[in-house]
Amino acid sequence: MGDRVIRLAIAAAVSVGLGAALLPQASSAQSLSDRFKSLFGGGSSDSDKPAAAPAAPRQLDDSDAELTCPPVQIRAGASTYSVAAPGKQPVGNDLKFLASITRTARQCSLNNGEITAKIGIQGRVIVGPSGAPPSVEVPLRVAVVRGGVGEKTIATKAYTTTVQIDESGSVPFSLVAEDVVYPAPSAAENDAYVFYIGFDPQALKGEPKARSRKK
């Protein structure tokens, strides 16, 4: 068959149980919800609904191309990002702010043997007892991983988003990674693929530069 262009628009929502303080207010989160809906579809504002269970990936119609958009999972140990006052640990009264992931979504397309994915991440920044600055940088990482025995990272990229802190002390944020590209797997390997996301402080330092080879 020739090249195929396949659209998978599957939204998956993930809740992080950090209490009522994490629930977004309808007015402040409206623009973020609209942005999510424009990319991933949906009716009324997601901020007014509880997080839904992840939707099952849709099998493609082509019998020889049984590819689905991989699920999104939060990497273990990377579901929250906490920052403390200089020289302190991010606990108790020394905590400046805590960021968490509340919802995720993904959309995939296949063209010329490559998958291009959009990964959407919504979360919330909560100000701690030590007080946060007027704006904070939230570092995130998206990775395409082939799981199973001998887990392998296929592609990975770091991102940052700036969050403006207001008087409420609990502010939503949104980030959409639109440039996640990787070679389309075989139908046999497809189910082993997953999009891992999470906070990664290394993103604030930039990606390490590749070493130049000596001639």
Side-chain angles (χ1 to χ4, degrees), residues 10-177:
I10 309 171
V14 177
S15 290
V16 179
L18 293 181
L22 290 184
L23 296 178
Q25 299 298 317
S27 58
S28 62
Q30 185 63 40
S31 61
L32 299 181
S33 297
D34 287 345
R35 184 182 178 198
F36 242 53
K37 285 190 294 181
S38 67
L39 284 168
F40 302 102
S44 59
S45 173
D46 288 342
S47 65
D48 299 328
K49 300 179 181 179
R58 178 173 66 84
Q59 183 170 314
L60 302 185
D61 295 332
D62 293 353
S63 60
D64 62 340
E66 297 176 353
L67 300 181
T68 55
C69 199
V72 179
Q73 295 183 17
I74 301 176
R75 177 73 80 172
S79 62
T80 60
Y81 173 62
S82 53
V83 174
K88 303 291 185 178
Q89 294 297 315
V91 293
N93 291 331
D94 293 325
L95 178 68
K96 295 182 73 66
F97 67 88
L98 170 71
S100 64
I101 296 170
T102 56
R103 287 185 174 88
T104 67
R106 84 274 200 203
Q107 183 185 75
C108 299
S109 63
L110 170 65
N111 193 25
N112 294 327
E114 285 190 332
I115 300 288
T116 299
K118 294 181 180 180
I119 310 297
I121 302 170
Q122 284 186 328
R124 186 159 287 270
V125 174
I126 298 176
V127 176
S130 185
S135 66
V136 299
E137 291 291 317
V138 176
L140 295 154
R141 180 171 293 277
V142 174
V144 182
V145 175
R146 186 186 67 203
V149 179
E151 181 180 282
K152 180 180 179 181
T153 299
I154 306 300
T156 181
K157 191 167 184 179
Y159 302 86
T160 60
T161 184
T162 302
V163 181
Q164 302 296 327
I165 303 300
D166 60 26
E167 294 180 355
S168 70
S170 178
V171 184
F173 70 85
S174 177
L175 180 140
V176 178

